[in-house]
Amino acid sequence: MLKNTNVSLRMCMACRERKQKEQLIRVVKQKEGLIFIDKTGKADGRGAYVCNNLECLELLRKKRGLERSFKCKIDGLIYDDLEKELG
Ligand SMILES: [Zn+2]
């Protein structure tokens, strides 16, 4: 049974499906242009989400989804970091 019926959903940058935060990985861009994977989900800055699976990560990499979401050039290493995060 669902305890909380009012869960806020976030959209995956790759497949554009809306999912609960727990099923997504949050990437944050801070004002200084620093971009990193936010494991706590509480970091300041603009957040973007991608599903916690390799398919969406690959799609994101292909579509350059982070560049689009954050409207800036992204170090490709972030995608490698995400891949590591997925194990
Ligand atoms: Zn997805």
Side-chain angles (χ1 to χ4, degrees):
M1 201 162 66
L2 285 172
K3 275 185 218 161
N4 187 357
T5 53
N6 189 26
V7 272
S8 56
L9 300 177
R10 299 284 184 273
M11 193 173 69
C12 168
M13 291 177 278
C15 67
R16 305 209 157 260
E17 265 182 57
R18 288 177 189 278
K19 297 192 175 183
Q20 290 179 32
K21 278 197 263 184
E22 293 73 36
Q23 297 173 284
L24 300 158
I25 296 176
R26 184 173 192 242
V27 183
V28 167
K29 181 191 174 194
Q30 296 191 322
K31 280 176 194 157
E32 301 78 23
L34 183 67
I35 291 166
F36 60 94
I37 299 163
D38 175 24
K39 288 173 196 168
T40 65
K42 287 171 188 159
D44 285 336
R46 186 170 142 69
Y49 297 82
V50 62
C51 294
N52 198 355
N53 68 52
L54 212 54
E55 263 172 51
C56 279
L57 175 58
E58 284 308 317
L59 193 61
L60 189 69
R61 204 199 300 250
K62 255 187 243 168
K63 296 198 330 187
R64 300 199 155 269
L66 284 170
E67 279 89 337
R68 282 163 186 241
S69 292
F70 292 137
K71 296 183 172 56
C72 69
K73 207 170 181 313
I74 307 278
D75 189 334
L77 286 173
I78 190 79
Y79 294 107
D80 295 337
D81 282 350
L82 282 165
E83 204 172 332
K84 274 179 217 151
E85 205 52 40
L86 292 172

